[in-house]
Amino acid sequence: MRAVIVDCAIYRQGRRTEGPADFSDALDEARAHGDAFLWIGLHEPTEKEFDLVSSEFGLHPLAVEDSLSAHQRPKLEVYEDSLFAVLKPVIYEPESDTVTTGELMVFVGDSFVVTVRHGEGAPLAAVRHRLEAEPEVLRHGPTAVLYAVSDAVVDHYMEVGAELQTDLEELEAQVFAPGTGDSKNTASRIYTFKRQVLEFRRATGPLAQPMQRLSSPGLPFVDEHAQPFFRDVNDHLTRANEQADGLDRLLSDVLSAHLAQMGVRQNDDMRKISAWAAMAAVPTMVAGTYGMNFDHMPELTWVWTYPAVVALLALCEIGLYRTFKRRGWL
């Protein structure tokens, strides 16, 4: 169980205090003081390990089930004894240009906060350290933790969106660069990048409704004075969603332009093939005519027949070549 618990501390008046090693005793101590709360962080607990926490904190069974499955959409649920929020932190890996998501569950209740992390995309350690350095924020209780976690996740969305925007500009420059290489590989890269943007949108899009609820009055276990802060997070999330939508639309436009380029390139190739075929048809027709072996062909007895035919073929080929060249077929 100690390996699962990343950190466990009591905060009183916004400052971390030493408490009992057992989180059950620590919760009792936090509830004994009206100005204290317990923050316990868990990392990928098993069902048996999480049962110890859920029974002590009185967490709802449905929320506990969602915390263990780790395949949830961002959402916000209100239960009788706690508030349950699901966030999806995003990680951008520049080496492979891929986007990966983790999952972060936050339980907010009477004098306690329980965070459950799945994956590596949750910046909880940095959030805890930053809050501990700002006791005036942390003194607002569990709501401050929920706000700080949400703010960190959403701010990182904007950073990832900026990285994706940079990659898209590079991809766009390559697509429209003269002498683009393998078209099949380019289309594959566009589709792969579109999947990364889709993964990004799956994390940012569904979070809009929970943030709107948090910024509205009357939500249990949320300090009413925290609404302006959640509205600020919601504004940042709106910008991240707009950025994700813009990336998706621009990718669709880039893909359409690439397919149009391929069509134009294929038309150019077909025109060149048709021009060369037309130039080859003239000598083929003449050779076929003289190859029919008829008895009565007066040209066969002329002395200058062969030079005249060769000269005529040369003139026809030169004329066709200049015509096709002038029209841009060659």
Side-chain angles (χ1 to χ4, degrees):
M1 191 64 187
R2 289 183 177 274
V4 174
I5 298 178
V6 179
D7 200 350
C8 180
I10 298 176
Y11 296 90
R12 186 176 183 182
Q13 289 294 323
R15 299 188 181 278
R16 182 169 182 150
T17 61
E18 296 296 333
D22 183 74
F23 64 83
S24 178
D25 297 334
L27 179 60
D28 293 337
E29 181 176 328
R31 285 175 172 171
H33 301 84
D35 56 356
F37 70 95
L38 174 67
W39 181 3
I40 178 172
L42 307 176
H43 179 238
E44 298 182 355
T46 64
E47 182 177 358
K48 182 178 179 180
E49 292 168 338
F50 199 55
D51 283 344
L52 300 175
V53 178
S54 61
S55 60
E56 184 65 33
F57 288 85
L59 305 180
H60 197 278
L62 293 178
V64 172
E65 182 181 354
D66 290 344
S67 299
L68 294 173
S69 62
H71 292 289
Q72 304 297 319
R73 286 165 54 90
K75 62 180 181 179
L76 181 68
E77 299 288 348
V78 179
Y79 297 104
E80 183 178 355
D81 297 325
S82 63
L83 185 73
F84 177 61
V86 179
L87 308 173
K88 293 186 74 70
V90 173
I91 295 179
Y92 176 78
E93 299 176 359
E95 295 80 9
S96 56
D97 294 335
T98 57
V99 173
T100 58
T101 58
E103 289 198 19
L104 178 60
M105 290 76 172
V106 183
F107 293 88
V108 177
D110 179 23
S111 301
F112 71 86
V113 177
V114 178
T115 55
V116 183
R117 178 167 61 92
H118 292 269
E120 301 299 329
L124 289 185
V127 171
R128 188 184 287 262
H129 293 158
R130 191 180 73 217
L131 282 176
E132 290 178 352
E134 300 176 353
E136 66 279 2
V137 177
L138 198 55
R139 71 173 62 247
H140 290 88
T143 302
V145 177
L146 179 59
Y147 158 72
V149 171
S150 304
D151 185 58
V153 170
V154 172
D155 284 347
H156 197 59
Y157 286 164
M158 301 180 67
E159 296 176 6
V160 173
E163 294 285 351
L164 291 175
Q165 181 68 40
T166 301
D167 288 346
L168 179 57
E169 291 174 357
E170 295 177 356
L171 179 61
E172 186 179 12
Q174 293 176 2
V175 169
F176 294 103
T180 305
D182 187 9
S183 298
K184 182 178 180 180
N185 184 50
T186 301
S188 176
R189 290 186 58 196
I190 295 175
Y191 276 114
T192 300
F193 195 89
K194 196 173 182 64
R195 291 187 64 86
Q196 305 307 316
V197 174
L198 177 61
E199 187 72 15
F200 182 57
R201 294 183 67 185
R202 286 175 179 171
T204 62
L207 189 58
Q209 185 177 5
M211 283 297 108
Q212 290 176 358
R213 294 181 63 188
L214 286 171
S215 59
S216 302
L219 196 64
F221 307 105
V222 177
D223 191 335
E224 60 181 7
H225 300 291
Q227 294 170 15
F229 298 95
F230 283 111
R231 281 198 294 268
D232 181 68
V233 176
N234 190 36
D235 290 340
H236 291 176
L237 179 63
T238 301
R239 291 172 55 188
N241 281 323
E242 290 175 351
Q243 190 175 29
D245 293 340
L247 288 171
D248 187 65
R249 288 194 299 268
L250 188 55
L251 265 175
S252 299
D253 294 340
V254 170
L255 180 60
S256 299
H258 173 66
L259 295 177
Q261 280 184 331
M262 292 180 60
V264 171
R265 192 177 299 116
Q266 289 175 351
N267 289 337
D268 290 340
D269 294 340
M270 288 301 300
R271 286 191 300 180
K272 291 179 181 179
I273 293 173
S274 300
W276 287 111
M279 294 174 62
V282 174
T284 301
M285 180 184 65
V286 174
T289 301
Y290 282 93
M292 290 186 291
N293 296 322
F294 290 144
D295 292 335
H296 301 286
M297 295 182 70
E299 297 88 352
L300 297 178
T301 59
W302 293 352
V303 176
W304 298 101
T305 298
Y306 179 76
V309 170
V310 172
L312 178 62
L313 290 177
L315 289 175
C316 290
E317 293 298 306
I318 293 173
L320 288 173
Y321 180 82
R322 294 184 63 182
T323 300
F324 291 139
K325 190 71 172 178
R326 184 170 58 252
R327 294 184 178 182
W329 285 39
L330 291 175

